[in-house]
Amino acid sequence: ELKVEQNPLFLSMQEGKNYTIYCNYSTTSDRLYWYRQDPGKSLESLFVLLSNGAVKQEGRLMASLDTKARLSTLHITAAVHDLSATYFCAENYGGSQGNLIFGKGTKLSVKP
Amino acid sequence: EAGVTQFPSHSVIEKGQTVTLRCDPISGHDNLYWYRRVMGKEIKFLLHFVKESKQDESGMPNNRFLAERTGGTYSTLKVQPAELEDSGVYFCASSHRGPARDTQYFGPGTRLTVL
């Protein structure tokens, strides 16, 4: 069964701290996505990781991809309250299908 | 540029009734996807349109669900008759023409509650 495992599912952090969200996937996918969702809002695309060793950074968030280990990480540096949201990783199952396989999401709460 | 829009944002219906959800993709996006998130579970793929054609409907749970995409523009997802287990948030996403694996842009979802 095609599966994407995220952990942790819930994360409560203090402002200023660092943490990493892990995403393990089951296929030989070469494309991994990270999305952010605020309550009641759309899923917002954060990163698209296209190849082994890819690293992308935007502000306090940095995502990486290791296709050999089938692992992606989302690292949060010096968290601030505005980062509180649910973060999803998703792999794009190859071929012409294009459908995304999602993890359950990590609900991040950053407290002052 | 307007994003993906969905209507309604919430729907509460009784078991056995019919509900139709609508999705308007980003203009010019040939690919349109429907996904669903049931409480506590992952967001799951339902189906994929390329223009007006169904490319992949392998995720549709059963024949109570009918999706259409008139003229390759907006799409509707009809549930008839609705069952309790159909409750969840239904997301629509679209992506640009070209390789089907381009970034998908999501709408805010329709929260469906079946009582």
Side-chain angles (χ1 to χ4, degrees):
Chain A
E1 182 192 351
L2 302 173
K3 207 164 176 66
V4 174
E5 302 271 4
Q6 262 182 262
N7 72 85
L9 298 183
F10 298 92
L11 180 54
S12 181
M13 298 175 65
Q14 280 194 307
E15 280 192 330
K17 298 290 188 183
N18 304 334
Y19 209 84
T20 300
I21 299 170
Y22 297 88
C23 175
N24 288 91
Y25 57 94
S26 60
T27 73
T28 55
S29 178
D30 62 353
R31 197 172 278 229
L32 196 290
Y33 298 79
W34 284 95
Y35 284 88
R36 168 184 170 144
Q37 186 188 28
D38 292 291
K41 303 288 177 101
S42 313
L43 277 75
E44 174 194 349
S45 178
L46 293 175
F47 300 108
V48 182
L49 302 168
L50 299 178
S51 60
N52 188 42
V55 177
K56 289 196 173 178
Q57 181 158 8
E58 181 74 34
R60 300 173 188 275
L61 301 178
M62 183 173 71
S64 66
L65 179 63
D66 181 343
T67 58
K68 292 177 183 175
R70 299 181 186 173
L71 171 68
S72 180
T73 60
L74 181 66
H75 186 74
I76 303 155
T77 302
V80 293
H81 179 70
D82 285 352
L83 290 179
S84 298
T86 299
Y87 294 85
F88 294 93
C89 66
E91 63 165 326
N92 188 303
Y93 184 57
S96 61
Q97 292 161 318
N99 51 300
L100 297 177
I101 303 167
F102 281 87
K104 286 189 174 181
T106 297
K107 187 170 183 179
L108 172 65
S109 175
V110 181
K111 302 184 187 301
Chain B
E1 179 184 83
V4 178
T5 58
Q6 292 187 244
F7 182 83
S9 57
H10 294 84
S11 181
V12 181
I13 61 172
E14 305 238 333
K15 176 182 169 181
Q17 289 185 320
T18 297
V19 64
T20 300
L21 314 181
R22 174 172 170 142
C23 169
D24 286 81
I26 293 171
S27 178
H29 281 194
D30 284 351
N31 295 299
L32 187 149
Y33 306 82
W34 283 98
Y35 293 85
R36 175 175 76 171
R37 188 181 194 195
V38 172
M39 180 81 76
K41 303 273 183 131
E42 299 89 341
I43 299 170
K44 293 274 196 187
F45 166 78
L46 296 178
L47 88 159
H48 170 203
F49 285 98
V50 177
K51 297 185 180 179
E52 66 276 6
S53 300
K54 290 176 186 173
Q55 178 77 14
D56 179 0
E57 51 184 330
S58 61
M60 295 286 263
N62 52 60
N63 59 11
R64 295 185 294 103
F65 289 75
L66 175 64
E68 295 178 324
R69 190 178 181 193
T70 308
T73 55
Y74 71 91
S75 174
T76 58
L77 180 65
K78 181 191 284 189
V79 185
Q80 179 182 29
E83 298 289 344
L84 299 178
E85 64 265 24
D86 301 332
S87 295
V89 181
Y90 290 76
F91 292 101
C92 175
S94 69
S95 69
H96 203 271
R97 60 171 62 91
R101 299 189 291 163
D102 283 348
T103 298
Q104 295 177 26
Y105 297 89
F106 281 76
T110 294
R111 181 174 294 278
L112 174 64
T113 303
V114 183
L115 302 175

